[in-house]
């Protein structure tokens, strides 16, 4: 049979199978729903555009909302913006300080599954400061991937940033690499964004693109990126 079209899914359950938890969030459709969600999730919260692509733009998140009136005001600000902001989501605010990073997987036609890593701060993204490793990753591979990006010193307490849990980040990369290697139907995986705190990592959102593999992966021995 011909492969069907790609399907995009929320990757929360998929990641949970590999011991990775996405920070809880709820999609809301009114200020009252937003306040109720905040009460369930626990204060303080953020209100943000739910779509991961849109969430990368400036002005799509309101941080540090500590009570119902702040949530209602933030919701009204989104409603007053020109154009359709799309669905909004309430999420419990992750502990600070933390360094934002971006982790992903792409199924390369020639090399198979490739794990990507970079810092989520704006300058690193603009400079396309990313590293890549073939899945699966050993602990040594993950450590090398983290240190391969030019902005890596920000994870190790330099330039005014606090030192963060790089060991937890490396463990996350190993788990993501295992998922990518195990599941050839995952054509793409985006963890956007991963906050690396002083003692843990927090995944704020994740999605996967699934498709039927064209055939078995080629296994010609050890693979290397050129």
């Amino acid at each position: 049979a011909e492969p069907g079209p790609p399907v995009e899914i929320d990757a929360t359950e998929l990641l949970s199978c590999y011991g990775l938890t996405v920070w809880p969030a709820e999609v809301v459709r009114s200020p009252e729903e937003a306040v109720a969600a905040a009460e369930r999730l626990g204060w303080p919260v953020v209100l943000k555009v739910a779509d991961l692509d849109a969430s990368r733009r400036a002005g799509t998140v309101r941080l540090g909302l500590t009570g119902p009136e702040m949530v209602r005001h933030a919701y009204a600000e989104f409603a007053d913006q020109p154009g359709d902001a799309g669905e909004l989501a309430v999420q419990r605010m992750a502990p600070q300080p933390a360094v934002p990073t971006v982790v992903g997987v792409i199924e390369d036609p020639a090399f198979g599954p490739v794990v990507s890593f970079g810092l989520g701060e704006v300058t690193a993204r603009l400079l396309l400061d990313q590293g890549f490793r073939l899945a699966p990753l050993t602990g040594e591979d993950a450590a090398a991937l983290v240190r391969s990006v030019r902005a890596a010193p920000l994870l190790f307490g330099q330039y005014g940033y606090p030192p963060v849990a790089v060991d937890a980040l490396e463990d996350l990369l190993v788990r993501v690499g295992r998922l990518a290697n195990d599941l050839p139907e995952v054509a793409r995986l985006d963890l956007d964004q991963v906050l690396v705190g002083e003692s843990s990592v927090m995944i704020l959102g994740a999605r996967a693109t699934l498709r039927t593999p064209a055939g078995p992966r080629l296994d010609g021995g050890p693979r290397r990126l050129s």
Side-chain angles (χ1 to χ4, degrees):
E2 288 294 319
V7 177
E8 188 172 285
I9 65 165
D10 183 297
T12 297
E13 290 188 21
L14 188 61
L15 290 174
S16 72
C17 296
Y18 287 81
L20 298 171
T21 301
V22 176
W23 207 247
E26 293 187 27
V27 173
V28 294
R29 295 171 180 82
S30 70
E32 292 72 25
E33 285 189 14
V35 171
E39 295 284 1
R40 284 191 294 271
L41 293 170
W43 304 95
V45 298
V46 304
L47 182 68
K48 64 180 185 177
V49 174
D51 180 77
L52 286 180
D53 283 330
S55 70
R56 295 175 183 178
R57 299 195 301 266
T60 57
V61 63
R62 302 292 184 272
L63 300 169
L65 308 178
T66 57
E69 285 308 310
M70 292 184 73
V71 169
R72 293 189 186 98
H73 180 72
Y75 198 100
E77 284 186 335
F78 278 114
D80 289 342
Q81 289 180 357
D84 181 13
E87 291 186 320
L88 300 180
V90 174
Q91 189 164 47
R92 185 159 59 96
M93 191 163 174
Q96 299 294 324
V99 178
T101 68
V102 180
V103 175
V105 169
I106 190 77
E107 180 80 13
D108 185 273
F111 295 103
V114 179
V115 178
S116 65
F117 169 76
L119 266 68
E121 53 104 19
V122 172
T123 303
R125 287 192 174 195
L126 289 175
L127 296 175
L128 301 178
D129 182 18
Q130 281 187 300
F132 302 90
R133 286 293 186 280
L134 297 168
L137 277 65
T138 65
E140 291 76 15
D141 292 332
L145 177 55
V146 168
R147 290 158 179 81
S148 70
V149 299
R150 295 188 296 276
L154 300 183
L155 297 165
F156 294 93
Q158 299 186 35
Y159 303 105
Y161 280 68
V164 294
V166 175
D167 55 343
L169 173 61
E170 292 169 0
D171 177 70
L172 178 147
L173 291 169
V174 169
R175 291 171 187 270
V176 166
R178 191 179 305 145
L179 181 159
N181 190 63
D182 289 349
L183 304 174
E185 59 269 33
V186 176
R188 184 181 182 94
L189 177 66
D190 291 294
L191 278 60
D192 189 312
Q193 56 184 286
V194 178
L195 294 182
V196 189
E198 293 178 302
S199 61
S200 63
V201 292
M202 296 147 282
I203 305 167
L204 299 192
R207 61 182 173 178
T209 300
L210 307 181
R211 58 98 175 91
T212 305
R217 283 175 175 155
L218 297 177
D219 186 8
R223 298 172 294 136
R224 294 289 183 269
L225 284 172
S226 58

